[in-house]
Amino acid sequence: MLQDNLILEHYGLNELNFDTIKSYRDRFAEVKPAHPWNALETKEFLYKVGAWGKVRDTHKEGVTLAGLLLFSEERIITEVLPQYFLEYRESKGDEEWTERFTSQDGTWSGNIFDFYFHIHEIVRNNEPQPTIASSLTEALINMLIHADYNGEGGVILEKQPSHYVFSNPGLLLVPADSVFSNTVSQLRNPNIVKLFSLLGLCERSGSGLKKVKQSWSLHHYKKPSIDQDVSMHRTVVTLSMSAQERQISSSEKDTYTTSVTDSGNNFKSVEKYQNIPENNVEINSCNKNEDSYNKGLVEELNSYNNDNSSYNKEGNYYNSELNSYNNGNSSYNNYQSSYNKEPEDDSSNSVNGEDIDTKLWDIAALAREKKRLSPNQMEHIILELCKEKPLMLKEFAYLLERTPDGVRNNYLTKLLRKGQLQLKYPNQPNHPKQAYLFHKKDIEK
């Protein structure tokens, strides 16, 4: 097994994706605004965080394996790790995938850093309860930092109506029966752990799945399961969204049925509602709450998170990301960094509101007014915008008031696959002036 601190002497800065590096540095600066590393040049910063290495006896240097996995691109990563593969897929229970993207799509970098934030955006949009979304991203981080990227089968996250499945190459480094209670860190990829932990996304305490189990228990879901396929050298973690079963009285059933009927709750799984809290007052409070869990549960979860979870630490990225693109001082709209790929004669990547056509602004009004639109509504708005003119990703982010990653991964990639949009520079996915066009065949219709 290759160690993630391996120095790849023949892989330099040119093998890295500078958009990803800039995204990482922006998030690092948000979490640690006064940190001295923020002022370092690119190579020195990468050395400090463990993405760049130096061979002392030969004076040679290069990207570390961890740096390649987080900051390079799929085609280059597979030169070193031929089995490398990332996949997210979801379905409604049948064999056909309703959503799927992989590291081989060619529409994004294909590295594990961008993969994490792609899925984080999807999970945050799909799961209205913050504690559930946090647990899912905790499980995702756990999978990414413990995967054996030289193993076969790839890293796969599968979403089914009743459960999530996290599957990765590599067997556990601790006994399986201690995974959900373990507090001792056994790291397969210490440099990858460091790179994510610097953003407050994980810890070295070995408590990731323990926190997931605690959160699942608080929501009365079935206990997470973990399986190891020794022959395939894979680990599979399953998080069920079904409730634990227990005996309840007829009066409890009647009370709870009435409460659920009146609540308008967005979670419609019958199995979930079979587990009834003992206190009927608590039940009614839970079901009248917009996010489907009561104040007491929130306080309990907050207490747990404040003590144990990196997600609620001061300066945590998740707590700032929610609004970072929704205000006029968004870091995305103030590209002043020297780490982007824009040409020197166009040094600013920010979008000037005065340059945005009024008609475009009006078309996107609904997206700015409502932060939760159905995929069909958002796709319709995007297509209408592209009918007016080709638009760059930063322009979509500005017009729709959404994160660039969210717009690209949730909508633009899907529209490209459907053939409803096309790239202005199809043979150069990372072209600094890349834009999305309404497909000509749709225009002719």
Side-chain angles (χ1 to χ4, degrees):
M1 183 183 71
L2 297 177
Q3 300 296 315
D4 74 341
N5 64 349
L6 175 68
I7 300 171
L8 307 171
E9 297 179 19
H10 301 294
Y11 288 79
L13 293 180
N14 290 338
E15 277 70 52
L16 302 182
N17 185 305
F18 275 72
D19 289 337
T20 304
I21 294 174
K22 183 183 185 305
S23 179
Y24 183 93
R25 296 200 65 167
D26 285 346
R27 289 179 168 94
F28 181 88
E30 288 177 5
V31 176
K32 305 174 185 292
H35 202 288
W37 293 355
N38 288 320
L40 297 176
E41 295 293 332
T42 303
K43 185 186 292 187
E44 193 61 26
F45 177 85
L46 293 176
Y47 175 73
K48 292 290 188 182
V49 299
W52 187 268
K54 300 175 182 179
V55 184
R56 298 297 178 184
D57 55 347
T58 65
H59 302 290
K60 293 183 178 180
E61 54 188 82
V63 178
T64 64
L65 189 63
L68 194 78
L69 285 164
L70 260 81
F71 300 126
S72 190
E73 297 186 357
E74 185 271 343
R75 181 64 186 87
I76 297 171
I77 295 173
T78 53
E79 291 177 2
V80 181
L81 300 167
Q83 303 295 337
Y84 173 84
F85 180 72
L86 307 174
E87 179 179 8
Y88 171 83
R89 61 198 188 200
E90 60 181 79
S91 75
K92 295 181 179 179
D94 50 23
E95 296 182 359
E96 184 177 351
W97 304 115
T98 56
E99 179 64 32
R100 183 174 184 262
F101 67 84
T102 76
S103 53
Q104 297 177 348
D105 283 349
T107 58
W108 60 291
S109 66
N111 60 53
I112 65 174
F113 180 80
D114 289 338
F115 183 71
Y116 171 80
F117 281 101
H118 292 180
I119 295 180
H120 165 254
E121 190 77 19
I122 291 173
V123 168
R124 195 180 70 181
N125 289 335
N126 288 349
E127 302 296 341
Q129 299 193 57
T131 53
I132 295 298
S134 294
S135 295
L136 292 170
T137 50
E138 183 84 52
L140 173 62
I141 279 283
N142 186 79
M143 177 173 65
L144 292 174
I145 65 178
H146 290 299
D148 177 3
Y149 291 98
N150 202 37
E152 297 183 359
V155 174
I156 300 171
L157 171 54
E158 180 179 324
K159 179 183 184 297
Q160 293 283 351
S162 62
H163 61 274
Y164 285 83
V165 179
F166 300 79
S167 175
N168 63 268
L171 298 176
L172 295 172
L173 300 180
V174 297
D177 57 1
S178 69
V179 167
F180 296 110
S181 59
N182 186 50
T183 56
V184 178
S185 178
Q186 297 288 330
L187 304 179
R188 176 173 278 116
N189 301 300
N191 272 24
I192 293 177
V193 173
K194 177 182 178 180
L195 282 156
F196 278 117
S197 66
L198 285 170
L199 302 184
L201 301 178
C202 68
E203 299 175 336
R204 295 178 65 98
S205 62
S207 61
L209 290 181
K210 177 182 178 181
K211 289 185 286 187
V212 173
K213 178 189 173 185
Q214 290 172 328
S215 176
W216 242 235
S217 177
L218 287 171
H219 284 276
H220 307 292
Y221 289 152
K222 292 180 180 178
K223 178 183 175 181
S225 67
I226 186 163
D227 299 294
Q228 296 193 86
D229 187 329
V230 177
S231 62
M232 296 296 293
H233 202 70
R234 294 186 68 80
T235 298
V236 179
V237 174
T238 302
L239 300 183
S240 172
M241 306 293 283
S242 300
Q244 303 176 44
E245 295 182 1
R246 76 173 182 85
Q247 296 297 321
I248 60 176
S249 66
S250 298
S251 60
E252 279 184 305
K253 289 181 179 179
D254 293 340
T255 301
Y256 193 68
T257 301
T258 301
S259 177
V260 170
T261 302
D262 294 339
S263 68
N265 195 305
N266 289 330
F267 273 73
K268 298 180 180 178
S269 169
V270 174
E271 290 182 326
K272 174 181 175 181
Y273 293 120
Q274 290 174 348
N275 188 13
I276 313 304
E278 295 291 338
N279 190 327
N280 287 335
V281 175
E282 182 181 359
I283 294 171
N284 290 332
S285 172
C286 171
N287 286 302
K288 289 178 181 177
N289 185 283
E290 181 179 356
D291 293 316
S292 304
Y293 54 98
N294 55 61
K295 181 178 179 182
L297 176 58
V298 174
E299 292 173 351
E300 185 175 4
L301 290 173
N302 284 341
S303 173
Y304 156 68
N305 284 329
N306 287 334
D307 290 338
N308 299 296
S309 175
S310 62
Y311 289 105
N312 287 320
K313 288 183 178 179
E314 180 179 2
N316 186 277
Y317 166 68
Y318 287 126
N319 295 331
S320 61
E321 189 202 29
L322 294 176
N323 294 314
S324 63
Y325 287 94
N326 291 330
N327 62 70
N329 295 318
S330 165
S331 60
Y332 187 81
N333 291 326
N334 288 286
Y335 279 96
Q336 301 296 329
S337 170
S338 61
Y339 304 104
N340 60 59
K341 290 185 174 181
E342 291 294 326
E344 293 183 2
D345 62 350
D346 187 18
S347 58
S348 174
N349 275 333
S350 63
V351 177
N352 186 344
E354 296 179 357
D355 294 336
I356 294 295
D357 187 281
T358 303
K359 188 171 183 180
L360 295 176
W361 190 252
D362 291 341
I363 291 173
L366 182 62
R368 294 191 302 275
E369 293 168 4
K370 296 184 177 181
K371 295 308 174 187
R372 290 187 180 277
L373 289 180
S374 70
N376 287 339
Q377 285 178 302
M378 184 64 84
E379 288 177 11
H380 175 74
I381 291 172
I382 290 172
L383 291 173
E384 291 300 311
L385 289 170
C386 289
K387 286 179 182 179
E388 298 300 319
K389 60 175 290 190
L391 291 173
M392 299 173 66
L393 181 59
K394 62 185 179 183
E395 293 173 312
F396 281 118
Y398 181 82
L399 286 164
L400 302 171
E401 290 189 357
R402 298 292 196 277
T403 64
D405 283 349
V407 175
R408 177 176 54 200
N409 301 318
N410 293 337
Y411 309 110
L412 296 179
T413 299
K414 185 185 296 185
L415 290 171
L416 285 171
R417 286 202 297 266
K418 290 179 180 178
Q420 293 176 281
L421 291 182
Q422 61 183 14
L423 294 176
K424 185 176 181 180
Y425 303 97
N427 297 324
Q428 303 177 62
N430 295 318
H431 194 285
K433 296 294 185 181
Q434 187 62 270
Y436 296 82
L437 296 76
F438 195 71
H439 202 289
K440 290 181 179 180
K441 70 176 184 180
D442 293 313
I443 294 176
E444 292 169 357
K445 290 179 180 178

